[in-house]
Amino acid sequence: MSDQPWYKTFFGEDYLRIYDFLTPERTEWEVEGIVGLLGLLEGSSILDLCCGHGRHAVELAKRGFRVTGQDLSEVFLEHARAAAEAEGVDVQWVQSDMRSIPFEGEFDAVINIFTAFGYLESEEEDQEVLRQVYKALKPGGFFLLETMQRESLMRRFDPSEVTRHADGLIVLEERDFDMLTSRCNVRVTMISPDGQRREYGHAARIYTLTELVRMMSLAGLHAEAYYGGLDGSTLILNSRRLVLVASKPR
């Protein structure tokens, strides 16, 4: 375990082994939902904030959008560049913390997918991310946030889980939810087939829809719609995912 903030150490090669269920088919389905919910026209400019290894950014570029991917992890950006090159698409890649988006009035849409919000040390830091999103959007532009839904997480909360991967890797996740801070803290232990162990931690503040709408408003964004997933389903208590679409006023 490192003394650095978890989000500077967790997103590397081991992450890609743990989350091997992020298949091309899943990515294509998710991008279909993103494009549909935002009503984006071909050629629109999109910022994939916390783009990871580029799975959504590259797929969006393949569909004719002008895409920028921003992430803090150089390891992920190396994978993203390779993926874009392999698909023959042009994506602008930016290495930066999400509290610093180096664009102003640039994008028709900003997306933040797969619970990539709530990582930071305080609500004020998360609020700064939303202010940066507002700054980066064109007037009339949209922000799409996709994350865990707190109510559903509480109904099915499991303090531990063991996953056995096809290559023999065993992953143990031990979870704790702090009811005062609404922060889910997770300790991850990876056990390779040869017995080698590596440990990581990650954490996220799990905001309610009410809290997110308030924070969007404070940043100058207007909540337009919310859903129980990228498929546009109605948000209910059992919805595992929460999608919130907000706009920057013209």
Side-chain angles (χ1 to χ4, degrees), residues 26-250:
R26 173 173 174 152
T27 298
E28 185 174 350
W29 176 87
E30 290 174 344
V31 168
E32 194 74 33
I34 292 166
V35 173
L37 292 178
L38 293 178
L40 295 173
L41 300 176
E42 186 175 334
S44 297
S45 56
I46 303 172
L47 172 64
D48 186 354
L49 183 62
C50 303
C51 66
H53 53 290
R55 62 192 187 96
H56 298 108
V58 171
E59 181 64 27
L60 286 163
K62 287 168 61 179
R63 296 177 184 226
F65 297 102
R66 295 181 291 118
V67 184
T68 299
Q70 177 176 328
D71 204 272
L72 185 60
S73 169
E74 179 57 33
V75 172
F76 274 10
L77 290 175
E78 288 175 3
H79 279 272
R81 292 186 192 102
E85 183 176 354
E87 293 291 346
V89 295
D90 183 26
V91 179
Q92 180 182 9
W93 304 108
V94 176
Q95 184 179 17
S96 181
D97 189 295
M98 61 179 150
R99 286 166 287 195
S100 178
I101 301 177
F103 302 96
E104 186 167 350
E106 183 77 18
F107 300 102
D108 296 303
V110 176
I111 62 172
N112 183 258
I113 309 296
F114 199 53
T115 314
F117 183 77
Y119 289 175
L120 302 172
E121 288 78 2
S122 68
E123 185 173 321
E124 178 53 38
E125 296 295 310
D126 292 333
Q127 187 69 56
E128 177 58 30
V129 175
L130 298 179
R131 287 192 285 265
Q132 291 287 306
V133 168
Y134 177 90
K135 181 192 73 172
L137 283 170
K138 297 176 181 178
F142 291 98
F143 176 46
L144 186 150
L145 175 69
E146 190 265 351
T147 188
M148 285 188 286
Q149 199 221 159
R150 189 183 189 279
E151 285 80 358
S152 176
L153 178 65
M154 294 296 91
R155 290 160 73 95
R156 58 182 175 80
F157 191 82
D158 190 346
S160 65
E161 182 177 1
V162 176
T163 304
R164 299 177 184 273
H165 294 253
D167 63 359
L169 174 70
I170 298 174
V171 179
L172 168 64
E173 291 191 351
E174 300 169 280
R175 309 182 186 101
D176 171 70
F177 192 87
D178 188 319
M179 297 298 294
L180 179 62
T181 63
S182 289
R183 200 166 185 85
C184 187
N185 302 289
V186 183
R187 186 181 192 90
V188 180
T189 303
M190 299 178 63
I191 306 173
S192 299
D194 62 4
Q196 183 180 0
R197 297 168 61 100
R198 287 188 295 280
E199 292 188 350
Y200 298 93
H202 63 87
R205 166 72 183 271
I206 311 300
Y207 290 100
T208 65
L209 174 62
T210 304
E211 291 171 325
L212 287 172
V213 169
R214 174 182 57 80
M215 293 173 73
M216 298 276 188
S217 179
L218 286 173
L221 297 164
H222 176 69
E224 298 282 352
Y226 53 86
Y227 307 96
L230 290 170
D231 59 354
S233 57
T234 300
L235 181 68
I236 60 175
L237 285 175
N238 284 334
S239 299
R240 290 183 173 237
R241 309 301 294 175
L242 166 63
V243 173
L244 177 58
V245 178
S247 65
K248 178 177 179 176
R250 294 185 182 275

